[in-house]
């Protein structure tokens, strides 16, 4: 169970060739005999075989996986947890790929349990009580007196000499703990944890005090506490320890475990620091650091914010706090996620009526914190006339919040800068002339990326969406280069307005056309408006379609080539980046996002809103290359 298994990549920032993680899927075929046994019993009796351990183990497997997933989701909901993160760094693609098979431990433990419960000496479900308080008391006693000290000494042993390098270093290779890190390690580590989890249960059953509720309760509580410790979010208030000092020896905290994970020479306990105290291995910084983290030590104002919005219901499940194996790969509609569509739809309704802009993800670049915020609105809502005012209000509040916090640059994504909505951000700058935060639409770099894709020997281009913000800038730039631009538009007024902006000696290179037939001999199409198959057929064989239309056009012509949306790869020294931006490859962001990054790195003091300044296209392009951004 765990995260739905999708595709697996390699330990690189850039997107490698993705392939189906067949081995991971095949592991679940090991449950075939258990599922077959349950199905057979169900068919024979006509009802769920509640007396079958096989059924209970499969249910427990699902519940355990759900526990890990819910803790993972909570820990990565930055709008809830960013102020109490223990380690401020992000989880990068290398760690995600290394931990891809984190659920191997859960699979192994379930198979071991299947062997134990199917042995002749193990009592059947029908022979057990649903609840037996004696078993719970005995399991607690055995956990404290057997499981905790045994794990403590085994864990200390794993940190010595060759045992660490061969059997435990892999687990500690993850720089930032996550709930899924709790299941990441070697088979030996999994067996040690299985023994620590199973010893109290074995003792309770041996004493004749076992029960079905004890199995469920003990295993799920064990997983719950492990996930809590690895969550990298401080969930225990320092005030509780101040009020009851003895409590700090009875339950560990995420800060406590994080110190062990990073420094490796202290805090070896399972859940109870009492055994570190008895063994003299408590890290002296544990409680003071826990207090500082709980008070928001690692909370920081971002330097740059990319203000995005949700595209649609299906893509809303691509957020980093949903399924990591999904968000760490470019977005695609995956069948395994479709059953969750009703849940995603319900969240859309909730956001529509009672939500505000929230933090989605972050990364670091040269000491600067970059965050992505999302307006709680979906793509289709931007085309509802009655929703326009509310959307602008959400964007305005996000800008004012960023200004109050001290954010340096906020970049508007996609429809958040729509001309018909707010004039490409002009509305907010005009309404609030004293903004300290720089508002940027990033389209100057988008235009630069498109223009630098065009081969230098091209003498003529065909441009659709010619009078849009980007279309205008592209036409004016190309005509200065003495490239003939066939501008598809029915509006002579708009065409003439743009033509008059060009230098007198360049105006002749701008030509208005009203039909696609005019481009029958032009092999360079720049597409800013959706093209149907019928419209694409007018392009001659060998045509290349550059595009800035959202969504991208579908490539119907096999004798033509199709470019992707304008994008740039972030510099190699980006840190903590572990999610893909919509359909972009790993480490690649939309050009408007990159434009905001460049604005921040350069420290420019002007707003970039409204019409694109054609004179700045080359300036922004050279600045992007200077800072290590590269065309994607």
């Amino acid at each position: 169970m765990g995260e739905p298994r999708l595709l697996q990549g390699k330990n690189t920032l850039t997107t490698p060739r993705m392939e189906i993680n067949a081995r991971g899927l095949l592991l679940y075929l090991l449950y075939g005999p258990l599922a077959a046994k349950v199905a057979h019993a169900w068919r024979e009796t006509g009802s769920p075989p509640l007396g079958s351990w096989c059924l209970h183990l499969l249910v427990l497997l699902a519940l355990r996986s759900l526990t890990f997933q819910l803790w993972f989701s909570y820990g990565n909901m930055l709008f809830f947890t960013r102020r109490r993160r223990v380690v401020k760094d992000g989880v990068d693609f290398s760690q995600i790929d290394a931990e891809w098979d984190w659920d191997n431990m859960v699979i192994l433990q379930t198979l071991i349990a299947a062997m134990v419960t199917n042995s002749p000496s193990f009592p059947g479900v029908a022979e057990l009580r649903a609840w037996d308080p004696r078993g719970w008391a005995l399991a607690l006693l055995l956990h404290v007196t057997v499981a905790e000290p045994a794990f403590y000494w085994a864990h200390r042993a794993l940190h010595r000499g060759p045992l660490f390098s061969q059997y435990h270093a892999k687990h500690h290779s993850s720089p930032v703990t996550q709930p899924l890190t709790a299941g990441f390690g070697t088979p030996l580590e999994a067996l040690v944890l299985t023994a620590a989890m199973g010893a109290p249960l074995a003792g309770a059953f041996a004493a004749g005090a076992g029960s079905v509720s004890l199995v469920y309760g003990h295993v799920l509580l064990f997983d719950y506490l492990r996930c809590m410790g690895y969550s990298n979010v401080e969930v225990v208030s320092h005030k509780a320890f101040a009020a009851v000092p003895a409590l700090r020896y009875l339950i560990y905290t995420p800060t406590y475990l994080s110190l062990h994970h990073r420094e490796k020479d202290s805090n070896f306990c399972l859940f109870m620091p009492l055994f570190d105290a008895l063994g003299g291995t408590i890290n002296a910084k544990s409680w003071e650091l826990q207090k500082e983290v709980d008070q928001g030590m690692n909370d920081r104002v971002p330097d740059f914010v990319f203000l995005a919005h949700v595209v649609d219901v299906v893509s809303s499940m691509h957020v980093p706090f949903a399924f990591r194996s999904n968000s760490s790969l470019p977005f695609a509609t995956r069948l395994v996620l479709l059953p969750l569509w009703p849940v995603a739809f319900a969240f859309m309704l909730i956001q529509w009526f009672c939500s505000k802009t929230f933090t989605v993800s972050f990364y670091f670049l040269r000491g600067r914190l970059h965050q992505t915020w999302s307006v709680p609105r979906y793509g289709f809502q931007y085309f509802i006339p009655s929703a326009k005012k509310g959307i602008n209000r959400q964007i305005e509040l996000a800008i004012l919040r960023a200004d109050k916090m001290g954010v340096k640059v906020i970049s508007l994504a996609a429809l958040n800068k729509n001309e018909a909505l707010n004039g490409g951000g002009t509305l907010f700058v005009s309404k609030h002339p004293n903004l300290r935060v720089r508002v940027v639409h990033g389209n100057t770099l988008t235009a630069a990326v498109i223009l630098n894709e065009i081969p230098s020997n091209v003498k003529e281009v065909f441009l659709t969406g010619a009078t849009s913000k980007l279309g205008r800038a592209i036409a004016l730039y190309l005509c200065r280069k003495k490239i003939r631009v066939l501008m598809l538009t029915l509006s002579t007024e708009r065409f003439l307005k743009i033509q008059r902006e060009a230098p007198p000696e360049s105006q002749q290179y701008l030509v208005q056309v009203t039909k696609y037939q005019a481009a029958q001999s032009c092999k360079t199409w720049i597409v800013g408006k959706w093209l149907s198959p019928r419209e694409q057929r007018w392009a001659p064989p060998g045509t290349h379609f550059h595009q800035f239309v959202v969504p991208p056009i579908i490539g119907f012509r096999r004798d033509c080539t199709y470019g992707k949306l304008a994008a740039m790869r972030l510099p190699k020294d980006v840190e903590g980046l572990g999610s893909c931006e919509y359909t972009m490859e790993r480490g690649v962001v939309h050009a408007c996002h990159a434009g905001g990054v460049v604005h921040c790195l350069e420290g420019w003091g002007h707003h970039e809103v409204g019409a694109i300044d054609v004179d700045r296209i080359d300036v922004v392009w050279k600045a992007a290359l200077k800072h290590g951004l590269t065309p994607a």
Side-chain angles (χ1 to χ4, degrees), residues 7 27 144 173 234 249 258 312 321 326 367 428 581 603:
L7 302 176
L27 282 174
V144 174
S173 66
E234 193 51 72
Y249 298 105
S258 183
D312 54 39
F321 53 83
N326 187 32
F428 311 115
E581 187 169 286

Side-chain angles (χ1 to χ4, degrees), residues 81-92:
T81 63
R82 69 180 184 278
R83 291 185 176 87
R84 290 175 286 111
R85 288 176 58 83
V86 180
V87 178
K88 63 180 177 59
D89 303 327
V91 178
D92 61 20

